[in-house]
């Protein structure tokens, strides 16, 4: 662990951070999609409503994930 | 004969939708290649930032660039940057299209069904009017319709402009998104004050707790007021910027690795796919911004509010 | 905490740029006002008018349908009533006719009976008259015969007494 300067640690942190952010987003949106699929299976009439809700929720969660991404990018570029 | 030409037009549109992102990819590759050659040993990160950030020059590599005027008025740097130019371009496009549509409605009126461009725009307007504004704001939604509609098409056009070659999306600049969020914030607060009065507005800051807790509640609620616009800002900004960075990174992979095979089989196809995703995200983010604005306005001006914990953060 | 971290770590991406903020505001407000006046105004008005027009048409169609149904219902009611009336009239007419026929038949019977009785009486009368005439004829014949038989010995009074007693015998026998 000696040869790692601050920059390297910065890059490492950025990489891990970005990975974790994407992981969180993936799990979250996966849950949403699962619930949406189940809801549609139970009640095919509400498909349009469920789809709209799913897209909105997915966009919100991606927004949160992108907060993390932005921090990671900044860390890399600084 | 008419069917023949319609068939040709459909074919052409389909081909165009597939080829244009490819061309954009190649265009950006050319751009990146020449800028790479021109700047020598710049790292990929710097080149990417160069494309993302605002600058005082309008660059049309490899055709050259020209500098934009710098205006310094009273200590404020009001120079016209790339993003400003693109905002003006978006404004011109919007005005051109929608003034035509507005004129159409003035002359044709409400008795006939609209056709052509007006039809498409009407679909958009109806969508925002019913699904976004009416369901989120409820009563009195007509007053906020112009703002919501303008914000939607403005952000949409700005996002899409960033996807054409030599384009930059002004919404990838945090100042722009911050301004739009501040607009939403003001409108939300004004709507809240109009709905509840000053006392009701201040009462909401305390959220109905015992006066002893006020000293803690008020700062927290006050900060809570600002989280929503900040979330809006960062969401739009990060989506647009991240999308561009991903595309540029994919394209620059082939340059970093200096391999042609990677370029053909990995870089360009992935870029095309991400480009299509970006188009979808452009629409989606404009819609999300508008919908959340409508939601906040509705929440602020509702008459039987119930304080639920915020779901967005 | 997060925001200060942002601003400190910013790699040029998060540079505040008041000029840009200014231009953004200006551009957006100009677009907003122009579009509001020239596009959203007429368009939203036209959309609302159209919605109202459609709703009005639907309402009017609904009202017209209800009225038509009402009229139809009333008509069928009237028709039913008229039918009942007609039936009643026919029935009453038939009853009256029946009654009349019975009356007339009765009267005819009575008349006939009466005429028969009268005829019978007349026949009786005629019979008595005939008998009376017959008696007178027979008496005359008897007298003429007796005259011839009993010619000269009889004077007038004795003749009369014998003849009267013969008549009385005859009428008693006859009667």
């Amino acid at each position: 662990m000696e040869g790692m300067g601050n920059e390297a640690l910065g890059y490492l942190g950025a990489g891990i951070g970005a990975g974790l952010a994407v992981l969180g987003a993936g799990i979250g949106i996966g849950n949403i999609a699962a619930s949406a699929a189940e809801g549609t299976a139970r009640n095919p009439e509400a498909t349009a409503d469920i789809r709209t809700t799913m897209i909105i929720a997915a966009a919100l969660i991606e927004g949160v994930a992108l907060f993390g991404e932005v921090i990671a990018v900044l860390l890399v570029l600084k | 004969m008419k069917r023949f030409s319609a068939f040709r037009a459909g074919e052409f549109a389909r081909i165009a939708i597939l080829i244009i992102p490819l061309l954009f990819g190649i265009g950006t590759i050319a751009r990146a290649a020449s800028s790479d050659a021109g700047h020598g040993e710049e790292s990929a990160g710097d080149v990417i930032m160069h494309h993302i950030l605002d600058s005082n020059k309008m660059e049309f590599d490899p055709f050259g660039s020209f500098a934009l005027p710098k205006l310094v008025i009273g200590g404020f740097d009001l120079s016209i940057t790339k993003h400003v130019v693109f905002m003006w371009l978006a404004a011109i496009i919007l005005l051109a299209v929608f003034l035509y549509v507005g004129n159409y409605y003035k002359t044709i009126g409400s008795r006939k069904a609209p056709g052509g461009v007006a039809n498409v725009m009407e679909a958009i307007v109806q969508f925002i009017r019913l699904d976004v504004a009416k369901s989120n704001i409820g009563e009195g939604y007509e007053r906020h319709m112009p703002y919501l509609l303008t914000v939607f098409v403005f952000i949409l056009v700005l996002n899409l402009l960033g996807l054409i070659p030599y384009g930059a999306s002004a919404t990838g600049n945090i100042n722009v998104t911050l301004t739009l969020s501040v607009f939403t914030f003001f409108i939300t607060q004004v709507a809240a004050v109009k709905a509840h009065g000053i006392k009701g507005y201040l009462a909401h800051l305390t959220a109905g707790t015992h006066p002893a807790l006020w000293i803690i509640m008020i700062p927290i609620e006050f900060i809570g007021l600002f989280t929503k616009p900040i979330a809006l800002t960062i969401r739009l900004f990060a989506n647009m910027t991240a999308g561009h960075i991903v595309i540029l990174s994919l394209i620059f992979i082939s340059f970093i690795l200096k391999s042609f095979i990677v370029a053909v089989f990995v870089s360009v196809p992935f870029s095309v796919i991400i480009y299509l995703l970006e188009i979808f995200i452009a629409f989606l983010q404009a819609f999300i911004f508008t919908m959340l604005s409508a939601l906040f306005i509705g929440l602020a001006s509702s008459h039987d509010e119930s304080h639920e914990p915020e779901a967005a953060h | 905490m997060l925001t200060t971290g942002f601003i400190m770590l910013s790699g040029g991406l998060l540079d505040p740029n008041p000029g840009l903020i200014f231009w953004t505001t200006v551009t957006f407000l100009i677009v907003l006002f122009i579009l509001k006046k020239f596009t959203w105004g007429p368009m939203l008005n036209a959309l609302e008018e159209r919605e109202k027009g459609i709703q009005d048409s639907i309402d009017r169609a609904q009202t017209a349908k209800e009225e038509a149904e009402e009229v139809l219902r009333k008509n069928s009611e009237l028709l039913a009533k008229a039918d009942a009336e007609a039936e009643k009239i026919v029935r009453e007419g038939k009853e009256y006719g029946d009654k009349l026929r019975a009356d007339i038949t009765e009267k005819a019977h009575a008349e006939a009976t009466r005429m028969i009785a009268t005829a019978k009486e007349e026949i009786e009368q005629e019979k008595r008259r005939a008998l009376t005439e017959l008696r007178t004829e027979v008496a005359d014949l008897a007298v003429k015969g007796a005259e011839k038989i009993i010619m000269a010995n009889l004077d007038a009074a004795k003749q009369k007494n014998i003849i009267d007693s013969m008549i009385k015998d005859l009428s008693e026998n006859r009667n």
Side-chain angles (χ1 to χ4, degrees):
Chain A
M1 294 270 271
E2 285 148 14
M4 284 200 184
N6 281 337
E7 245 189 46
L9 281 177
Y11 289 156
L12 186 64
I16 293 182
L20 284 176
V22 170
L23 182 70
I27 292 180
I29 300 187
N31 276 345
I32 295 178
S35 302
E38 189 182 329
T40 308
R42 280 192 205 211
N43 188 6
E45 275 186 7
T47 302
D49 278 338
I50 293 178
R51 185 180 300 143
T52 310
T53 310
M54 176 182 85
I55 294 202
I56 293 175
L60 290 174
I61 290 187
E62 270 206 53
V64 174
L66 282 171
F67 291 4
E69 295 285 346
V70 166
I71 297 182
V73 166
L74 294 175
L75 212 44
V76 166
L77 298 171
K78 187 66 177 172
Chain B
M1 244 335 146
K2 204 166 160 197
R3 230 165 23 120
F4 180 71
S5 62
F7 166 73
R8 283 282 152 170
E11 270 294 306
F12 182 67
R14 277 185 282 261
I15 295 175
I17 289 181
L18 285 179
I19 294 287
I20 286 181
L22 201 63
L23 289 174
F24 297 167
I26 298 180
T28 41
I29 287 179
R31 188 164 37 136
S34 58
S35 67
D36 235 0
H39 296 256
E41 287 302 320
E42 266 185 16
S43 73
D46 287 340
V47 178
I48 291 182
M49 290 309 288
H50 188 72
H51 283 290
I52 297 289
L53 287 177
D54 208 0
S55 79
N56 283 321
K57 290 201 272 208
M58 293 275 291
E59 307 204 351
F60 301 102
D61 295 322
F63 299 121
S65 63
F66 66 92
L68 293 169
K70 261 177 124 60
L71 309 165
V72 180
I73 299 182
F76 281 113
D77 180 19
L78 293 181
S79 51
I80 304 194
T81 66
K82 195 164 63 166
H83 288 166
V84 177
V85 173
F86 272 97
M87 264 200 299
W88 285 349
L89 185 59
I92 291 174
I93 293 178
L94 277 183
L95 289 177
V97 171
F98 281 100
L99 284 178
Y100 166 74
V101 171
N103 204 15
Y104 184 97
Y105 272 91
K106 253 197 222 163
T107 54
I108 295 289
S110 66
R111 281 296 148 191
K112 278 173 42 166
V117 178
N119 210 353
V120 176
M121 297 309 150
E122 169 164 343
I124 296 177
V125 170
Q126 278 286 47
F127 168 64
I128 299 223
R129 181 164 160 255
L130 296 175
D131 288 338
V132 175
K134 200 176 205 173
S135 58
N136 283 320
I137 303 183
E139 276 292 316
Y141 70 95
E142 297 94 358
R143 299 186 316 137
H144 298 115
M145 280 298 294
Y147 170 71
L148 289 172
L149 282 168
T150 312
V151 129
F152 178 70
V153 292
F154 193 63
I155 294 181
L156 182 64
V157 173
L158 279 179
N159 287 348
L160 288 177
L161 274 180
L163 293 176
I164 61 176
Y166 297 124
S169 60
T171 41
N173 187 322
I174 197 165
N175 300 292
V176 172
T177 54
L178 185 67
T179 319
L180 294 172
S181 301
V182 163
F183 275 126
T184 300
F185 177 66
F186 276 137
I187 291 188
T188 313
Q189 303 311 308
V190 166
V193 168
K194 271 207 188 140
H196 301 293
I198 293 277
K199 294 200 86 139
Y201 178 68
L202 291 174
H204 276 295
L205 283 182
T206 64
T209 51
H210 191 76
L213 288 176
W214 280 0
I215 201 124
I216 305 180
M217 279 307 288
I218 294 190
I220 293 183
E221 284 283 328
F222 195 66
I223 294 184
L225 267 187
F226 290 106
T227 30
K228 291 189 218 171
I230 292 182
L232 276 182
T233 310
I234 300 216
R235 179 180 301 114
L236 183 57
F237 156 70
N239 265 300
M240 287 300 116
T241 308
H244 287 304
I245 291 182
V246 166
I247 291 181
L248 287 172
S249 309
L250 280 176
I251 292 179
F252 289 152
I253 283 180
S254 54
F255 288 100
I256 295 173
L257 298 180
K258 292 197 185 347
S259 151
F260 200 58
I261 297 184
V262 171
V264 170
F265 288 110
V266 172
S267 167
V268 172
F270 275 103
S271 303
V272 170
I273 294 175
I274 301 287
Y275 243 108
L276 294 173
L277 183 67
E278 275 301 302
I279 295 178
F280 171 64
I281 296 248
F283 279 96
L284 183 68
Q285 285 306 314
F287 164 67
I288 292 276
F289 192 98
T290 314
M291 202 210 61
L292 285 176
S293 299
L295 191 65
F296 295 155
I297 297 176
L299 277 181
S301 64
S302 70
H303 286 274
D304 42 314
E305 222 186 78
S306 61
H307 268 276
E308 297 170 64
E310 294 193 0
H313 230 80
Chain C
M1 207 169 55
L2 195 63
T3 40
T4 43
F6 257 148
I7 297 177
M8 275 170 38
L9 288 177
S10 68
L13 208 51
L14 294 180
D15 282 342
N17 189 347
L20 187 55
I21 293 183
F22 168 75
W23 284 118
T24 312
T25 320
V26 164
T27 312
F28 184 71
L29 284 178
I30 292 179
V31 169
L32 177 66
F33 283 127
I34 296 185
L35 282 184
K36 178 164 155 178
K37 188 153 181 302
F38 289 107
T39 307
W40 307 137
M43 213 161 163
L44 291 173
N45 283 340
L47 287 176
E48 275 195 27
E49 260 185 50
R50 187 189 308 159
E51 257 187 27
K52 242 193 319 185
I54 291 178
Q55 190 60 33
D56 275 345
S57 304
I58 292 180
D59 284 340
R60 263 186 294 141
Q62 184 71 16
T63 323
K65 186 166 89 96
E66 279 175 9
E67 276 180 12
E69 276 180 7
E70 182 79 20
V71 167
L72 189 67
R73 205 170 40 87
K74 255 199 275 194
N75 273 352
S76 45
E77 246 179 50
L78 278 177
L79 207 60
K81 247 198 297 192
D83 268 348
E85 282 275 332
E87 204 185 330
K88 195 167 67 136
I89 288 178
V90 163
R91 207 166 20 120
E92 275 180 5
K94 234 180 9 168
E95 273 180 18
Y96 185 66
D98 281 342
K99 202 163 56 125
L100 206 59
R101 192 178 35 219
D103 271 351
I104 290 181
T105 318
E106 229 179 80
K107 273 208 211 120
H109 273 305
E111 188 83 13
T113 319
R114 200 167 43 86
M115 276 189 2
I116 289 178
T118 319
K120 269 205 191 136
E121 263 185 38
E122 276 194 17
I123 291 178
E124 281 293 318
Q125 267 188 9
E126 288 290 315
K127 199 168 71 170
R128 262 185 244 131
R129 212 163 11 108
L131 271 179
T132 316
E133 263 194 38
L134 205 59
R135 257 184 241 133
T136 321
E137 281 284 325
V138 166
D140 275 346
L141 279 180
V143 162
K144 282 196 181 118
E147 244 188 61
K148 290 202 166 117
I149 297 177
I150 312 172
M151 267 196 305
N153 305 337
L154 286 172
D155 56 307
K158 244 200 226 169
Q159 219 181 323
K160 209 164 170 286
N161 286 341
I162 293 173
I163 289 168
D164 277 337
S165 70
M166 216 175 24
I167 288 174
K168 217 170 29 179
D169 283 339
L170 273 176
S171 38
E172 276 174 4
N173 287 340
R174 271 286 161 189
N175 285 358

